[in-house]
Amino acid sequence: GIQALLAGAVLPPLLVLQGGISVVQNEGFSSYPDSILFTLSASATDRIEAVELEFGTDALTCGTALTRAIPEDFSPAQSIDVEWVWNLRQSGPIPPGTVVWWRWKLLDAGGNRHETPVSELTFSDHMVQWRRMETDELALFWLEGDEQFARDLLDSGQASLSTLKQDTGVELT
């Protein structure tokens, strides 16, 4: 079944941003492999006129990895509760273990812009008991096969990293 787990950074209650906006809740919930739900509850002395979610991943890409979204359930008010769902069935999957980051940007009635600190969660299938083996340069997660199978894969990965460095001068972290 699909599970919704709190899997990320939760800001402490009543984090006060510049300009008097108080963040009551800022959470990310992972429902592997379908979606990630981002939620924000905030209040301000001035009315909050606009809210936008920025998010991305730690995945290496050729272009920019920043995405912006406007919650559909937003209405300007002094106190807001908004959410936005990243539907991975529509946008395409992300692999297990990907770190997803996000922050909210808010605009108040006085024209002041506010930004929450960046929060992160690791997108993983928590229903699976992943096994892990690692070296200083490489981590291997696997489900089936014995320790020797994993050691052989890890050794092959290490050899490939060494060959890449020798042939191209590129050193991956």
Side-chain angles (χ1 to χ4, degrees), residues 93-151:
I94 57 175
T98 299
V99 174
V100 176
W101 63 267
W102 75 93
R103 69 178 159 236
W104 294 92
K105 292 190 168 190
L106 301 102
L107 177 68
D108 69 21
N112 301 303
R113 299 189 183 281
H114 312 278
E115 188 175 291
T116 65
V118 171
S119 298
E120 294 182 343
L121 65 81
T122 301
F123 189 66
S124 294
D125 185 350
H126 298 285
M127 298 297 285
V128 174
Q129 293 297 315
W130 292 101
R131 297 170 71 189
R132 179 183 176 126
M133 185 179 287
E134 62 185 281
T135 66
D136 289 340
E137 296 86 21
L138 193 61
L140 172 71
F141 294 84
W142 84 101
L143 296 173
E144 297 179 20
D146 60 13
E147 296 278 328
Q148 187 59 49
F149 166 76
R151 219 171 268 109

Side-chain angles (χ1 to χ4, degrees), residues 42-48 75-80:
S43 60
T45 50
D46 282 339
R47 195 164 81 156
I48 300 169
S75 295
Q78 279 187 286
S79 192
I80 62 166

Side-chain angles (χ1 to χ4, degrees), residues 23-169:
V23 175
V24 178
Q25 178 187 26
N26 177 13
E27 296 178 316
F29 298 91
S30 169
S31 293
Y32 185 89
D34 300 315
S35 64
I36 300 172
L37 170 67
F38 301 100
T39 64
L40 175 72
S41 294
S43 60
T45 50
D46 282 339
R47 195 164 81 156
I48 300 169
E49 292 291 331
V51 63
E52 176 182 73
L53 173 68
E54 288 186 343
F55 65 96
T57 72
D58 67 347
L60 298 175
T61 62
C62 293
T64 196
L66 171 69
T67 303
R68 290 184 172 94
I70 307 292
E72 293 178 14
D73 61 342
F74 173 73
S75 295
Q78 279 187 286
S79 192
I80 62 166
D81 294 298
V82 293
E83 63 181 39
W84 189 82
V85 177
W86 183 6
N87 184 335
L88 296 165
R89 299 256 184 223
Q90 290 178 348
S91 67
I94 57 175
T98 299
V99 174
V100 176
W101 63 267
W102 75 93
R103 69 178 159 236
W104 294 92
K105 292 190 168 190
L106 301 102
L107 177 68
D108 69 21
N112 301 303
R113 299 189 183 281
H114 312 278
E115 188 175 291
T116 65
V118 171
S119 298
E120 294 182 343
L121 65 81
T122 301
F123 189 66
S124 294
D125 185 350
H126 298 285
M127 298 297 285
V128 174
Q129 293 297 315
W130 292 101
R131 297 170 71 189
R132 179 183 176 126
M133 185 179 287
E134 62 185 281
T135 66
D136 289 340
E137 296 86 21
L138 193 61
L140 172 71
F141 294 84
W142 84 101
L143 296 173
E144 297 179 20
D146 60 13
E147 296 278 328
Q148 187 59 49
F149 166 76
R151 219 171 268 109
D152 290 345
L153 284 175
L154 197 58
D155 289 346
S156 179
Q158 280 296 138
S160 295
L161 287 176
S162 295
T163 301
L164 181 65
K165 181 179 179 184
Q166 184 178 17
D167 291 351
T168 67

